[in-house]
Amino acid sequence: MIRPVNFGFNAQTAESNAFQIKQADQQAVQQKAQQEFDGFVSTLCENGINVTVIEDTPEPHTPDSIFPNNWVSFHDTGDIFLYPMQAVNRRLERREDIISQLEDNFAAKHIIDLSRYEAKNQFLEGTGSMVLDRENKIAYACLSPRTDAEVLKAFCDYTGYRAVTFDAFDQQGKAIYHTNVLMCVGSAFAVICLDSITDLYQKLAVIQSLKSTGKQVIEINFEQMNKFAGNMLEVKNNVGETLIVMSQTAYTSLTDAQRNTLSVFGKLVYADINTIETNGGGSARCMMAEVHLEQL
């Protein structure tokens, strides 16, 4: 997780991210975001989750660096993927020193750099663009200006993943910018806003894929999606317990029945990150780049 020093509304990403809303005093936004970040990390640590916190740098200016899952992913094969980012100022988030720091504690074998696709204006923004079912090697992806089918194929060719692609739209008919705001895939469940997938055949293909891999499908509506209820992440803590991490906004949006169903699969853990969500257009899952590398 990246502790922010210059967090704020990013005008370069706002055109394709309908979840972003600019609040007036951006200096106050940074201060509040830092408080929310620290509170979120504390909540994770209190629940036994091992968190590697990296300090952001003042320069270059990277207002979205708090969302590292878009530029890097770590895999149990020892592979580290670097991704092509649409916004120019988000490309500056890729930092070799972060990789080097992690290599002190984790076994990394190969770095696969897909950022070359930026030269062709083709993008794949990590586990924002893809929701990975790592156990079954399936990459769910809603195609958008930030999620290109050719780059997705390159990822799948390298990893052996199978892509399940579809188109997804919000209530205004705007393409949803990242897959991980509309769905989350856990080891035995999936949270998804099926209403956003308007093509019936695509919707059925997604449902079939989820059910064929043993997932219980928990459907959320547009209002819940807009409150980041799709932006969850299943993790394990240091004693092997399964936790389902989300924001307080997402947790509050769920019905009692949905919470009860999710609680069967893991303990629900949440924190208040409202300022980050409002200005950044991302939530809890986006803030966590989970490390599947073998620990040294």
Side-chain angles (χ1 to χ4, degrees), residues 198-212:
T198 54
D199 183 286
L200 179 60
Y201 293 103
Q202 291 182 348
K203 183 182 301 191
L204 291 174
V206 172
I207 294 170
Q208 170 62 23
S209 179
L210 292 169
K211 290 189 173 179
S212 70

Side-chain angles (χ1 to χ4, degrees), residues 74-80 107-112 292-294:
F74 307 95
H75 301 260
D76 59 10
T77 55
D79 292 332
I80 299 174
K109 295 178 181 176
H110 304 105
I111 296 176
I112 299 93
H292 288 269
L293 304 171
E294 183 181 352

Side-chain angles (χ1 to χ4, degrees), residues 27 46 50 97 163 169 219 256:
Q27 186 170 349
E46 287 164 8
N50 297 320
D97 65 300
F169 306 92
E219 191 172 351
D256 288 341

Side-chain angles (χ1 to χ4, degrees), residues 92-276:
L92 302 172
E93 295 172 27
R94 292 190 295 260
R95 287 170 48 189
E96 289 183 14
D97 65 300
I98 293 177
I99 304 297
S100 298
Q101 185 172 332
L102 287 170
E103 286 176 332
D104 291 339
N105 299 305
F106 298 94
K109 295 178 181 176
H110 304 105
I111 296 176
I112 299 93
D113 189 352
L114 299 176
S115 65
R116 64 186 181 276
Y117 283 96
E118 288 169 353
K120 299 198 294 180
N121 286 317
Q122 293 175 296
F123 312 107
L124 184 73
E125 298 189 335
T127 53
S129 288
M130 303 177 291
V131 172
L132 301 180
D133 178 347
R134 293 179 185 255
E135 183 181 355
N136 295 292
K137 303 196 84 168
I138 299 171
Y140 294 92
C142 69
L143 301 178
S144 77
R146 302 204 204 175
T147 304
D148 181 87
E150 183 181 336
V151 193
L152 176 63
K153 183 180 184 302
F155 171 86
C156 290
D157 287 347
Y158 192 94
T159 58
Y161 273 66
R162 174 173 66 89
V164 175
T165 60
F166 52 94
D167 302 299
F169 306 92
D170 64 18
Q171 288 159 296
Q172 283 70 47
K174 184 179 177 69
I176 293 175
Y177 79 109
H178 275 165
T179 314
N180 76 358
V181 296
L182 71 94
M183 71 183 296
C184 155
V185 175
S187 52
F189 71 93
V191 176
I192 183 168
C193 180
L194 288 171
D195 288 343
S196 68
I197 308 174
T198 54
D199 183 286
L200 179 60
Y201 293 103
Q202 291 182 348
K203 183 182 301 191
L204 291 174
V206 172
I207 294 170
Q208 170 62 23
S209 179
L210 292 169
K211 290 189 173 179
S212 70
T213 50
K215 313 297 183 196
Q216 179 169 339
V217 177
I218 302 166
E219 191 172 351
I220 56 173
N221 58 32
F222 277 121
E223 183 179 358
Q224 292 171 318
M225 181 191 76
N226 292 335
K227 294 184 181 298
F228 296 101
N231 199 243
M232 305 177 184
L233 183 65
E234 178 188 88
V235 300
K236 286 193 181 297
N237 67 8
N238 51 26
V239 292
E241 295 173 327
T242 299
L243 309 175
I244 302 170
V245 182
M246 67 194 77
S247 71
Q248 181 174 300
T249 304
Y251 178 83
T252 303
S253 78
L254 298 173
T255 65
D256 288 341
Q258 288 168 326
R259 289 179 198 155
N260 291 338
T261 301
L262 274 172
S263 295
V264 172
F265 303 107
K267 178 183 178 182
L268 306 189
V269 175
Y270 55 92
D272 178 9
I273 50 172
N274 182 65
T275 304
I276 295 168

